[in-house]
Amino acid sequence: MLTLEEVTNVASAPASEVISQTVEAIFEILAASRDVLVKKDTFKELATYLERMVPILRELSKNTVLNSESLNNVLDILNREIRAAKKLTIECSKRNKMYLLMHCRTIVNHLQNTMTEISRALALLPLTSLDLSSGIVEEIGKVRENMLGAEFRAAIAEEEIMEKIESGIQERNMDRSYANSLLLLIAEAVGIPTERSALKKELEEFRSEIENARLKKDQAEAIQMEQIIALLERADAASSPEEKERKYFTKRRSLGSQPLEPLQSFHCPITGDVMVDPVETSSGQTFERTAIEKWLAEGNSLCPLTRTPIDTSVLRPNKTLRQSIEEWKDRNTMITIASMKSKLNSEDEEEVLHCLKELLDLCKQSDLHQEWVILEDYIPILLQLLGLRKPEIRNQVLVNLLTLVKDSDDAKERMARVVDGIELIVRSLGRRVEERKLAVALLLELSKYDSIREKVGMVQGCILLLVTMSNSDDNQAARDARDLLENLSFSDQNVIQMAKANYFEHLLQRLSTGPEDVKVVMASTLADMELTDHNKESLLEGGVLGPLLDMVSHGDVPIKVGAVRALRNLSSLPKNGSQMIRAGAERPLLDLLYDHSSSLSSLREHSAATIMHLARSVVFQESSQTPACFLESEEDIFRLVYMINLTGPDVQHNIILTFHTLCQSPSAISIKTKLIESSAVQVLTQLFEHDNPNLRANAVKLFSCLIEGHSEAIKIREHVGQKCIETIVKIITSSGDDEEIASAMGVISNLPEIPQITEWFVDAGALPIIVSFIQNSQRNGPYKNQVIENAVGAIYRFTVPSNLEWQRSAVEAGIIPLFVQLLVSGTSLTKTRAALSLSRFSQSSPRLSRSLPKRRGLWCFSPPPETGCPVHGGICGIVSSFCLVQAEAVRPLVRMLGEPDTEACEASLDALVTLIEGERLQNGCKVLTDADAIPPIIKFLVQPSPSLQEKALHALERMFRLPEFKQKFGQLAQMPLVDLTQRGTGGMKSMAARILAHLNVLHDQSSYF
């Protein structure tokens, strides 16, 4: 117990000097109170009250009535109490923290008494005889009242600690876990670090306080502190593993090797069993508590042994006997534990299993037994047993190991030292369900120890197995796996391994809150991973986008590179790209692309590739999503077009792909217009001769897409000269890339039908080259159909009826039979384009068909007359007059009328209608009737396509001028025509009415006309 010396009697000293000493002591308390190690708030409150007394004491020192006896007594009390408080404050800033905590109640009582005494002294001041201001008098009253009302007490945490200490001493608690938890509570209460070295140092200092107590001859305090030390030294931090091991083996070797039988006094006279809680009765005899209580409860009042009356209310614990019994039990248990090792090495697996269960029972009896098992070095033996085939043994081993390492740093350290020990446990993660559960629980406990935690993550396959377990149906095993992954997330490498196993939680945390170098590593990991679409979607849902965009906008160059690379990977999923656009990713990526000051060209390359992915997401976004707008600014399109000439092939490639992708989007018309206005045609044609074949191919592809269906022929014509045409033809003949060939064919097909351009193609020898590709239509490859489609489209420009020379060149190259064949075997687009070309050829047929020669001489001696064309009436041929009948194209064209593609239907109808134009109506209708063309044409009247309806109406209006066709097909057409007069547009209503008039359903004067 702390003692406070009484101060020397200062009655003889002058009052002013006493006041001066007191004020000086107060200032020393104020200074020392800032350094106290316990009860900081209490000392601070005391210092606050004492500081308020300084003005009062100084005012008293000015008073002329300082030599009154009553005033001097008050000053003596104040001086004594304040000097005592100073000594206590100084001691509490220098003594051992644990020692001070154990005396917290005493300290609080001293402070409370000091406050009470000072308050009492202030009440004794002779205020009536002192010349004090009213303010000082009022302040004296307030200070006295506040100090009297102040109530100091030990904190709840301190009281709990003291109660646990008292309980542990009384119950002789020897559990290591109890000591560990108590020591941690003490460390938390007094602010000691929880590392083993810091706790051990504090305990050593606390032990030295025992010597101080003995020197002061305070035997009661010394005994109390020894009891506390005995309780706390069971904690792991109290002594090193080496010290524990030395003490244990010293004791164990002194015991011998054979267990001892219990002494007769250990047995309960009633039950005959060794006692657990022996109690002494008033007769002086000792029994097991439960046994004697039952004896008394049955109405017995005599001692079972002496048969003398006993006081039923007196049952005293026989602590000495109980301690002897426990020492005997401990001795035998120690010997038993040491002797069990050989049984674990037995070849009899049943004996091994029995021994493991017996060992577990001993460990469950006491923490002390667990410690002995650890000190006997059972851990390496148990770990080796995990290699046995019998699952029951492995499961029991895992249970035993978990019991041993629970809250024991020594056991964990021994586990860490076993070669391949952790690997053996990890191997159990891949076995049966029960074994997996036990293994993950054991690893979770081991992961609380730094050196083992490092090893666990390094075992091959461990993290993958844990991630798999974290998704299992067993809630406890899944929770343990997730907790273990949390513990392993201390290492960046482990976090990367988790991410590679599709567990991204900790990687996302690092991206959000980690230091910059770690953010770069995590972003680079995401960038380099082969992510599934599910992974990519999960990462966006997990919140990866915000940190990455922040890194792009605010980081330095390495951070930006890592973030953009990650965005590039994630944006390859269109759904993610749409989210990135909505999150504002477009602007920072474009800014990086425009920034030529960057020292890393790779940053622009990755930015360009990511922008291309975002463009693709616009095309492929789901209908349920809100449409994402991308690259709508004319300025951005202009700058990107301009950059094509200023950057390397990779950036050029991705910018071109971005534009090509957007040309397939809903805003394609707007994009194409802006590109043409931004001189994209000029830029792209310059790339047709680029050395990089991939870049050239993409330039051709975008150019083909750009000019498709575009009306601004003048702007296109400005940058397409003869050299450009020759280059396109050269690409077709020299390229080994079918996609590039298809695109070049598309350029020929899509360029405006300006005669000069077509002439340049003829001069460059394009026509036979194109035909050769159609002739080789059996070639395989992913772009086979596109090549044929565009080649057939390219031929179309050479079939213009106004230039027979071009038509004849195409026909002589054998194109018409090829087209007829494609009407049957081609894709829908190929059929459409072939039909359109055949329609043009057919328009030239009437003027190319030769008249039949007049017969001369006697008919009976003349050769049979030549048969004229059933449509044109003259002599026709495929090469001579491009005749569809001679080419046997009519029936394939009629079959096309049944195509689901309305454009294909229109194209075939256009070709067939050429057979009934002008004077060919009668003959053409007969040919169409023979080919069963009329019914499908009538069906077009109910088609949803207005254009197809209108063409069908015009064809039928001509056919139904002829009575025989009116009679044959009129009834079939009547209802559709009537429906058109009611539901059709103005022009179609009038045309339908005219046909109905031909059919005599309406008269010529009908208002429909």
Side-chain angles (χ1 to χ4, degrees):
M1 179 185 295
L2 287 173
T3 59
L4 296 174
E5 297 178 358
E6 294 294 327
V7 297
T8 307
N9 194 316
V10 291
S12 58
S16 59
E17 186 178 335
V18 173
I19 291 172
S20 177
Q21 292 175 0
T22 305
V23 170
E24 184 179 347
I26 288 174
F27 283 124
E28 290 181 31
I29 290 173
L30 292 177
S33 66
R34 292 191 286 268
D35 300 323
V36 292
L37 303 174
V38 293
K39 309 303 297 178
K40 288 182 179 290
D41 292 339
T42 304
F43 278 99
K44 183 179 179 182
E45 187 175 352
L46 170 68
T48 301
Y49 289 131
L50 295 180
E51 190 174 14
R52 289 173 62 186
M53 289 183 58
V54 172
I56 297 172
L57 292 172
R58 285 176 174 168
E59 188 69 22
L60 287 174
S61 68
K62 300 176 185 177
N63 204 285
T64 56
V65 197
L66 283 177
N67 292 322
S68 70
E69 184 178 353
S70 59
L71 178 59
N72 288 339
N73 287 336
V74 169
L75 294 176
D76 287 347
I77 294 171
L78 292 175
N79 185 275
R80 183 183 68 245
E81 293 299 329
I82 289 172
R83 291 184 65 182
K86 181 187 82 171
K87 183 176 181 182
L88 180 61
T89 305
I90 292 172
E91 282 196 6
C92 287
S93 64
K94 293 181 178 179
R95 301 293 288 268
N96 174 261
K97 291 181 180 180
M98 292 178 65
Y99 174 84
L100 294 172
L101 178 64
M102 302 307 154
H103 292 84
C104 62
R105 293 169 177 168
T106 304
I107 293 169
V108 167
N109 289 336
H110 274 302
L111 293 175
Q112 188 69 59
N113 291 337
T114 297
M115 296 282 280
T116 302
E117 288 299 308
I118 292 174
S119 177
R120 185 176 66 81
L122 291 175
L124 297 175
L125 280 172
L127 297 177
T128 56
S129 62
L130 296 173
D131 184 18
L132 299 174
S133 65
S134 59
I136 289 295
V137 171
E138 184 179 350
E139 179 65 9
I140 290 172
K142 287 181 179 179
V143 171
R144 185 179 64 80
E145 183 178 342
N146 293 153
M147 294 180 79
L148 193 61
E151 189 175 349
F152 296 157
R153 62 181 62 185
I156 295 175
E158 295 167 347
E159 288 291 349
E160 287 179 354
I161 291 170
M162 296 307 298
E163 289 172 4
K164 286 177 75 74
I165 289 173
E166 291 165 0
S167 173
I169 291 172
Q170 289 175 4
E171 297 175 6
R172 297 186 71 249
N173 194 317
M174 302 297 288
D175 280 352
R176 183 182 73 252
S177 59
Y178 189 89
N180 281 335
S181 63
L182 180 56
L183 192 56
L184 288 175
L185 285 174
I186 293 171
E188 185 178 347
V190 297
I192 303 171
T194 55
E195 287 82 4
R196 180 187 288 229
S197 58
L199 292 172
K200 185 177 181 183
K201 179 183 177 184
E202 202 70 25
L203 279 170
E204 292 298 328
E205 291 178 1
F206 184 57
R207 282 194 181 97
S208 68
E209 295 287 354
I210 299 176
E211 297 302 320
N212 294 335
R214 290 198 179 108
L215 291 174
K216 293 179 182 178
K217 298 184 179 180
D218 192 339
Q219 198 61 30
E221 183 181 44
I223 291 172
Q224 181 193 30
M225 291 172 62
E226 284 176 346
Q227 291 175 327
I228 295 172
I229 286 291
L231 179 65
L232 293 178
E233 68 180 0
R234 293 286 303 120
D236 290 330
S239 57
S240 67
E242 293 76 14
E243 292 171 338
K244 286 183 180 180
E245 190 169 350
R246 186 170 57 254
K247 290 178 183 178
Y248 168 77
F249 281 107
T250 299
K251 182 177 181 179
R252 206 253 285 162
R253 291 189 187 101
S254 68
L255 300 178
S257 59
Q258 296 300 321
L260 292 178
E261 294 297 320
L263 299 177
Q264 185 61 38
S265 60
F266 291 177
H267 293 278
C268 173
I270 297 175
T271 64
D273 297 328
V274 174
M275 289 181 280
V276 176
D277 186 9
V279 292
E280 188 177 356
T281 64
S282 59
S283 66
Q285 301 300 316
T286 298
F287 304 92
E288 177 63 44
R289 180 185 291 277
T290 56
I292 192 63
E293 285 178 345
K294 181 180 179 184
W295 170 271
L296 296 174
E298 291 173 349
N300 298 302
S301 60
L302 300 178
C303 174
L305 287 179
T306 64
R307 312 304 296 176
T308 58
I310 57 176
D311 186 347
T312 57
S313 64
V314 177
L315 291 175
R316 294 182 296 271
N318 191 334
K319 294 182 179 180
T320 302
L321 179 58
R322 178 174 178 173
Q323 183 174 350
S324 297
I325 292 172
E326 288 178 351
E327 288 175 353
W328 166 77
K329 286 182 178 179
D330 287 346
R331 177 192 183 280
N332 283 357
T333 301
M334 193 177 285
I335 292 172
T336 300
I337 288 172
S339 65
M340 292 174 68
K341 284 185 181 180
S342 58
K343 296 179 182 178
L344 291 178
N345 293 321
S346 169
E347 294 184 0
D348 184 348
E349 291 187 335
E350 290 302 324
E351 183 180 4
V352 171
L353 186 59
H354 176 75
C355 182
L356 286 170
K357 292 179 178 178
E358 186 179 350
L359 197 63
L360 179 64
D361 290 339
L362 288 172
C363 290
K364 286 182 175 179
Q365 290 174 11
S366 163
D367 279 355
L368 193 60
H369 296 169
Q370 290 181 30
E371 186 172 299
W372 293 345
V373 172
I374 293 168
L375 292 171
E376 285 288 350
D377 209 21
Y378 270 85
I379 286 176
I381 299 172
L382 293 173
L383 285 171
Q384 292 307 312
L385 290 176
L386 286 175
L388 295 181
R389 292 183 179 181
K390 195 175 182 67
E392 291 82 356
I393 290 179
R394 296 199 300 269
N395 289 353
Q396 191 62 50
V397 167
L398 292 170
V399 172
N400 287 24
L401 286 171
L402 181 57
T403 303
L404 290 175
V405 302
K406 190 77 172 177
D407 300 322
S408 172
D409 287 348
D410 184 21
K412 292 183 177 75
E413 177 59 35
R414 289 171 182 267
M415 187 88 77
R417 291 200 297 263
V418 177
V419 177
D420 296 333
I422 303 303
E423 285 83 346
L424 288 168
I425 301 171
V426 170
R427 197 176 297 167
S428 292
L429 291 176
R431 290 180 173 144
R432 296 180 182 178
V433 174
E434 188 60 30
E435 187 171 348
R436 288 204 301 265
K437 289 171 61 176
L438 293 169
V440 74
L442 175 57
L443 288 169
L444 177 60
E445 179 63 29
L446 290 172
S447 68
K448 298 173 184 177
Y449 197 69
D450 291 348
S451 61
I452 293 185
R453 189 166 65 236
E454 292 175 2
K455 287 187 175 183
V456 172
M458 295 168 63
V459 177
Q460 184 177 7
C462 176
I463 287 177
L464 178 58
L465 289 169
L466 290 173
V467 170
T468 304
M469 285 188 69
S470 71
N471 296 313
S472 71
D473 295 332
D474 188 307
N475 292 335
Q476 184 59 52
R479 187 161 49 249
D480 287 347
R482 287 192 293 271
D483 291 344
L484 179 50
L485 289 168
E486 175 72 35
N487 291 349
L488 296 179
S489 67
F490 77 96
S491 160
D492 292 342
Q493 191 57 44
N494 288 348
V495 171
I496 291 171
Q497 291 303 315
M498 291 177 204
K500 290 180 178 179
N502 299 338
Y503 192 81
F504 299 104
E505 177 182 339
H506 300 292
L507 182 142
L508 292 173
Q509 291 175 0
R510 291 283 207 286
L511 274 178
S512 297
T513 59
E516 291 189 353
D517 58 330
V518 173
K519 287 183 178 181
V520 173
V521 172
M522 296 301 132
S524 299
T525 298
L526 276 182
D528 296 333
M529 286 177 64
E530 292 291 335
L531 297 170
T532 65
D533 287 352
H534 176 71
N535 294 152
K536 295 170 186 176
E537 186 173 350
S538 298
L539 282 162
L540 262 287
E541 291 173 353
V544 72
L545 188 53
L548 289 177
L549 289 179
D550 185 67
M551 292 165 67
V552 170
S553 301
H554 303 106
D556 55 19
V557 171
I559 291 178
K560 289 179 188 291
V561 171
V564 174
R565 288 179 64 231
L567 287 173
R568 176 180 182 176
N569 194 359
L570 294 169
S571 62
S572 60
L573 179 67
K575 183 177 180 180
N576 284 0
S578 298
Q579 289 188 48
M580 290 179 188
I581 294 171
R582 294 188 188 92
E586 174 184 352
R587 181 45 49 195
L589 289 170
L590 287 172
D591 289 343
L592 288 178
L593 193 55
Y594 299 154
D595 184 9
H596 291 280
S597 64
S598 172
S599 57
L600 288 176
S601 60
S602 64
L603 183 55
R604 287 195 296 276
E605 292 170 6
H606 293 302
S607 299
T610 308
I611 288 169
M612 184 269 291
H613 286 161
L614 299 188
R616 187 177 296 165
S617 72
V618 175
V619 177
F620 296 106
Q621 60 187 323
E622 298 173 4
S623 58
S624 58
Q625 291 181 303
T626 305
C629 300
F630 187 66
L631 274 184
E632 293 192 319
S633 165
E634 291 184 13
E635 181 183 354
D636 284 327
I637 290 177
F638 176 81
R639 293 184 71 177
L640 287 174
V641 170
Y642 180 71
M643 285 193 69
I644 294 175
N645 284 329
L646 301 177
T647 51
D650 289 335
V651 176
Q652 291 175 312
H653 167 77
N654 281 304
I655 293 176
I656 291 172
L657 282 181
T658 297
F659 287 140
H660 182 265
T661 302
L662 290 175
C663 285
Q664 324 300 317
S665 72
S667 58
I669 296 175
S670 173
I671 292 289
K672 289 181 180 180
T673 302
K674 291 173 183 175
L675 284 171
I676 290 175
E677 291 174 351
S678 300
S679 302
V681 171
Q682 179 182 3
V683 172
L684 293 173
T685 54
Q686 291 172 355
L687 294 175
F688 287 178
E689 297 186 73
H690 201 281
D691 294 337
N692 186 314
N694 192 33
L695 178 60
R696 183 190 69 195
N698 282 297
V700 173
K701 182 166 67 173
L702 175 57
F703 184 72
S704 174
C705 180
L706 203 58
I707 62 177
E708 183 179 4
H710 210 278
S711 59
E712 299 194 32
I714 297 176
K715 291 186 178 180
I716 296 172
R717 171 68 182 83
E718 289 175 357
H719 304 293
V720 178
Q722 186 170 6
K723 184 178 180 183
C724 176
I725 298 301
E726 292 171 352
T727 302
I728 292 169
V729 175
K730 182 180 178 182
I731 289 172
I732 294 173
T733 57
S734 62
S735 176
D737 181 351
D738 282 355
E739 185 181 16
E740 183 180 21
I741 293 170
S743 300
M745 292 286 192
V747 171
I748 301 175
S749 174
N750 296 333
L751 277 171
E753 284 193 0
I754 299 171
Q756 180 64 71
I757 292 179
T758 305
E759 192 64 47
W760 285 335
F761 276 119
V762 172
D763 293 343
L767 189 55
I769 293 170
I770 299 169
V771 172
S772 70
F773 274 91
I774 299 174
Q775 289 170 335
N776 297 325
S777 60
Q778 300 305 315
R779 59 190 289 171
N780 295 318
Y783 297 100
K784 167 191 168 183
N785 289 336
Q786 190 179 348
V787 170
I788 300 302
E789 288 167 354
N790 289 347
V792 173
I795 293 292
Y796 183 74
R797 73 180 307 114
F798 300 102
T799 64
V800 56
S802 60
N803 195 317
L804 279 174
E805 182 183 350
W806 295 345
Q807 282 190 325
R808 197 173 298 282
S809 297
V811 171
E812 289 174 353
I815 199 62
I816 289 181
L818 291 174
F819 279 177
V820 173
Q821 182 182 345
L822 290 172
L823 292 177
V824 178
S825 61
T827 64
S828 181
L829 181 57
T830 299
K831 291 177 181 180
T832 301
R833 291 177 170 176
L836 290 172
S837 291
L838 289 173
S839 174
R840 280 184 160 185
F841 282 125
S842 183
Q843 291 174 37
S844 298
S845 294
R847 52 184 167 142
L848 295 176
S849 178
R850 290 185 294 109
S851 300
L852 290 172
K854 294 180 180 180
R855 299 182 67 180
R856 296 179 183 177
L858 295 173
W859 287 12
C860 57
F861 298 106
S862 301
E866 292 187 57
T867 304
C869 174
V871 174
H872 304 111
I875 299 174
C876 286
I878 298 174
V879 176
S880 62
S881 64
F882 323 149
C883 179
L884 296 184
V885 177
Q886 295 299 317
E888 298 183 351
V890 176
R891 287 199 175 274
L893 286 168
V894 170
R895 282 195 292 272
M896 273 184 65
L897 296 176
E899 288 277 331
D901 184 354
T902 57
E903 289 189 6
C905 293
E906 280 192 50
S908 63
L909 183 56
D910 286 342
L912 292 171
V913 166
T914 61
L915 301 178
I916 60 173
E917 289 177 350
E919 298 176 356
R920 300 182 297 281
L921 177 60
Q922 182 79 36
N923 294 340
C925 285
K926 188 175 183 307
V927 169
L928 294 182
T929 301
D930 292 343
D932 296 322
I934 311 302
I937 294 174
I938 292 174
K939 285 183 181 180
F940 290 158
L941 298 178
V942 295
Q943 276 283 342
S945 168
S947 174
L948 191 53
Q949 284 179 324
E950 190 170 349
K951 288 184 177 182
L953 280 171
H954 282 287
L956 291 171
E957 193 277 330
R958 287 183 57 76
M959 293 178 189
F960 287 158
R961 293 176 189 176
L962 303 174
E964 58 185 290
F965 298 105
K966 178 168 59 176
Q967 182 179 359
K968 189 171 183 179
F969 299 106
Q971 190 65 34
L972 183 63
Q974 184 174 324
M975 286 305 296
L977 288 167
V978 169
D979 189 65
L980 280 175
T981 61
Q982 296 170 356
R983 302 176 186 275
T985 60
M988 282 195 282
K989 283 183 179 182
S990 178
M991 182 62 72
R994 185 176 294 113
I995 299 173
L996 287 171
H998 292 326
L999 299 176
N1000 299 320
V1001 176
L1002 291 176
H1003 57 76
D1004 292 344
Q1005 302 304 317
S1006 172
S1007 62
Y1008 280 103
F1009 299 104

